Amino acid sequence: MLQTDIAIVGAGPAGLALAVMLARRDIRVTLLERQGEETLGNPDDDGREIALTHKSVRILESLGVWQRLRDDEVGVLQAATVVDGNSTSSLNFDSRGRGPLGFIVPNSAIRRTLYEVAGEEANIQLRCNSAVTGMHLEDNCRVLNIEGADDLAVALLIAADSRFSEVRRMAGIGADMRDFGRVAVVGRVRTERVHQGIARECFRYGSTLALLPLSEPKTSSAVVTISASRAEEIMQLSDAEFAAHVQRESTAILGSVEPCGKRHKYPLVGVYAHQFYAERFALVGDAAVGMHPVTAHGFNLGLAGADSLSRQLETVARLYQPAKLARALSRYQIQHRLESQPIYSGTNRVVDLFTNDHLPAKLLRKAVLRVSEHFPPVRRAIVHQLTRH
């Protein structure tokens, strides 16, 4: 059997970030990924734009990832505004002169730069086209069965293989899954007026539109959230029809709209694992917590979880002391639950309220926005969550 200290299944952003964090603690890491190396090194633009908090930027800077992003890949989020239904009034968020609320970066750019950094770490071995088919505990290690390859014995196995994690199931850990019955259709658009770094969330009746400001002053990512039954209807629109839909749903606040990119669709499913660790096993990223994107916390939570786990593990010696390893994983679970559970539950409540078009819900939506608008502590709390370092 091949030997390594830690194996991470899934070379997505959370898995790559965690691998770099652990490698710099002198821990040998093997990354197991189903995709080929060419796909990892040159990821396609999948249409997804990631909103990053200041804390996430600080972590990416410490890894040497943020510095590798090109200027045209970083959009600055100066403010955000929320509109409900057909209302002309809005709830507005800004940092009150303390700098931007956050930043918006393409998912593909984050993947590419993390891959570059991970490739420079001597303690990281990347094994592509590798699928884990089974596992078992043996002599204070976890043994992985890998399709078409020798078994791999590790002191700790970490699953970072998506919210539908097969490895999580193999470890016997279940998850609460919430299928929202909705699909997000994303596509870039060019607008007549500059976006001024303002993210706009329009909770219309029957659908939701988000306009996320990108690095170019007149280019935004349009995210149309619609019931799953209408997803193909939006996907089948011509480019001009899609642009017209965005212009209408945004009440032409940025003037005329033109399409400037391919559209993608993503089903919306929330996931929260019943536990984040087992014996010599842990979950990070979407395998632990998969978020609805409306509050833009998914990647930020995944990165925070990876940072928390790496800090709890501290050194390679802890991996080979069963009692200390168990305590470290337990502390990681407590910390990550404290950070993720309120955000996960709160996000789901927001989705429930602002996608419910029955009259009582409509009235409550308006009341919530009015209270938030006239109660500054609510807005300050949200801004603090985004801008804290």
Side-chain angles (χ1 to χ4, degrees), residues 9-10 159-168 271 283-288 290:
V9 181
D161 56 334
S162 88
R163 64 190 66 198
F164 306 111
S165 171
E166 295 179 10
V167 178
R168 181 183 64 213
V271 174
L283 301 171
V284 295
D286 281 359

Side-chain angles (χ1 to χ4, degrees), residues 160-357:
D161 56 334
S162 88
R163 64 190 66 198
F164 306 111
S165 171
E166 295 179 10
V167 178
R168 181 183 64 213
R169 292 175 60 85
M170 290 179 195
I173 297 177
D176 292 326
M177 292 195 177
R178 172 78 184 277
D179 188 339
F180 293 98
R182 301 175 77 79
V183 171
V185 177
V186 298
R188 293 184 180 181
V189 296
R190 190 171 291 110
T191 57
E192 181 182 1
R193 292 192 283 272
V194 298
H195 51 59
Q196 298 179 307
I198 301 173
R200 294 171 168 86
E201 188 85 35
C202 307
F203 290 101
R204 303 304 183 191
Y205 300 137
S207 69
T208 298
L209 170 69
L211 284 175
L212 307 178
L214 303 182
S215 58
E216 295 180 13
K218 292 187 177 181
T219 303
S220 298
S221 174
V223 184
V224 177
T225 303
I226 200 83
S227 65
S229 62
R230 293 187 58 200
E232 284 306 314
E233 173 188 330
I234 300 296
M235 289 296 294
Q236 294 302 320
L237 293 176
S238 67
D239 287 347
E241 289 170 334
F242 179 72
H245 175 87
V246 172
Q247 182 174 322
R248 182 174 60 255
E249 293 296 286
S250 65
T251 64
I253 194 167
L254 293 178
S256 59
V257 177
E258 298 177 355
C260 64
K262 183 180 178 182
R263 264 170 278 158
H264 305 261
K265 67 175 181 177
Y266 297 97
L268 300 181
V269 179
V271 174
Y272 202 90
H274 294 164
Q275 56 194 68
F276 295 160
Y277 80 101
E279 187 174 353
R280 297 195 175 277
F281 181 79
L283 301 171
V284 295
D286 281 359
V289 183
M291 296 284 294
H292 188 290
V294 68
T295 55
H297 276 295
F299 177 75
N300 297 296
L301 278 178
L303 197 57
D307 184 57
S308 173
L309 179 56
S310 70
R311 291 176 185 277
Q312 292 298 339
L313 293 175
E314 286 188 343
T315 65
V316 67
R318 177 156 291 179
L319 297 172
Y320 294 94
Q321 299 169 318
K324 289 186 177 181
L325 175 60
R327 286 195 293 271
L329 296 179
S330 178
R331 288 194 298 269
Y332 159 66
Q333 173 168 274
I334 291 170
Q335 183 174 344
H336 198 38
R337 276 186 170 171
L338 286 172
E339 184 161 24
S340 63
Q341 183 64 60
I343 296 173
Y344 180 80
S345 299
T347 295
N348 289 349
R349 291 192 183 99
V350 168
V351 173
D352 288 341
L353 178 60
F354 284 88
T355 59
N356 186 334
D357 293 334

Side-chain angles (χ1 to χ4, degrees), residues 52-54 76-81 93-96 98-103 197 382-388:
L52 298 171
T53 63
H54 286 259
V76 180
L77 182 59
Q78 299 288 3
T81 183
F93 301 91
D94 61 55
S95 61
R96 303 296 180 184
R98 292 177 297 180
L101 286 179
F103 304 87
I382 294 172
V383 169
H384 173 72
Q385 180 68 25
L386 295 171
T387 59
R388 67 191 178 97

